[in-house]
Amino acid sequence: MPDQTDKPGAEPQVGAPVGAGRNLLFLREEELRLAQDLLFFGYRDFTAGPDQILAELGMGRAHHRVLHFVGRRPGITVGELLGILGITKQSLARVLTPLVEQGYVLQATGRNDRRQRLLSLTAKGEALERRLFERQREWVMQAYREAGPVAVEGFRRVMRGLMGPAARAQLERLERPGPARPGTPPLARIG
């Protein structure tokens, strides 16, 4: 059912949801600021659960990002991880070194190029990454269920639209089928 704000000439009601197709080329500053607010508060609450787990281990979000992307692509090279994270080698070393030393990440030499360092999670790393993922999975599933499939697709389009070309290319590489992760549950229905 169309929102009142989607009708030509209709004035939006105060507090009424903004229609999805309304004035896309003429967004007001307040609508854009609201988008920033939504991103900020959504990200803050989305990361709160994992932040608590990580703090107990003396880790932070940078460790989470490494665990996430190494878990998504076992065998990822240090160079590829640097490209995804958009950080310097020194910054990555500050996070990766303790993860290796504490037994969360395994670093191996490349088969074809001995200069390459291939990263994968150990069983301990997989368990931690799984714990972090499960805290966020529930948050995302709830939001997706409340919003519905059309909104989920719209969200994905908006998030891709916020990415630059390099980030989109990296996401496409991550979305390519890779080796199955042990213990990965089947897809959850959101509709």
Side-chain angles (χ1 to χ4, degrees):
M1 182 166 160
D3 184 338
Q4 279 188 328
T5 57
D6 289 334
K7 295 176 187 170
E11 286 297 314
Q13 297 173 351
V14 176
V18 176
R22 186 176 148 253
N23 298 326
L24 288 181
L25 297 178
F26 304 102
L27 291 172
R28 296 185 321 255
E29 181 174 334
E30 190 55 36
E31 290 169 326
L32 297 172
R33 287 191 179 275
L34 174 60
Q36 289 179 306
D37 293 345
L38 290 167
L39 286 167
F40 171 78
F41 287 116
Y43 184 72
R44 183 197 67 187
D45 291 351
F46 174 69
T47 56
D51 284 352
Q52 181 182 5
I53 294 168
L54 292 161
E56 292 168 5
L57 298 169
M59 297 183 199
R61 289 184 187 166
H63 298 92
H64 188 184
R65 287 189 283 270
V66 169
L67 291 167
H68 173 81
F69 287 111
V70 172
R72 290 278 286 148
R73 278 293 185 202
I76 191 171
T77 67
V78 168
E80 290 169 329
L81 186 57
L82 285 169
I84 288 171
L85 298 176
I87 60 175
T88 65
K89 285 182 185 179
Q90 293 79 9
S91 294
L92 179 58
R94 281 192 294 271
V95 174
L96 186 57
T97 299
L99 287 172
V100 171
E101 289 173 351
Q102 294 172 25
Y104 292 100
V105 174
L106 179 64
Q107 192 168 230
T109 304
R111 290 186 198 105
N112 298 331
D113 185 345
R114 312 263 319 139
R115 296 170 296 174
Q116 278 188 331
R117 296 291 171 253
L118 307 177
L119 305 173
S120 57
L121 298 180
T122 63
K124 182 179 177 181
E126 287 177 358
L128 176 56
E129 192 278 334
R130 186 88 202 146
R131 234 178 113 201
L132 299 170
F133 170 74
E134 286 173 357
R135 287 293 286 268
Q136 291 183 318
R137 177 186 65 194
E138 295 305 317
W139 205 253
V140 172
M141 281 177 40
Q142 178 184 343
Y144 274 11
R145 283 185 177 130
E146 286 177 13
V150 173
V152 169
E153 181 55 32
F155 167 76
R156 291 176 180 162
R157 292 178 74 171
V158 168
M159 293 306 291
R160 279 185 171 87
L162 290 173
M163 296 176 199
R168 284 187 198 148
Q170 290 163 343
L171 179 64
E172 287 173 16
R173 283 193 293 277
L174 285 169
E175 289 175 330
R176 286 186 203 134
R181 295 188 53 197
T184 303
L187 296 175
R189 275 186 61 91
I190 61 167

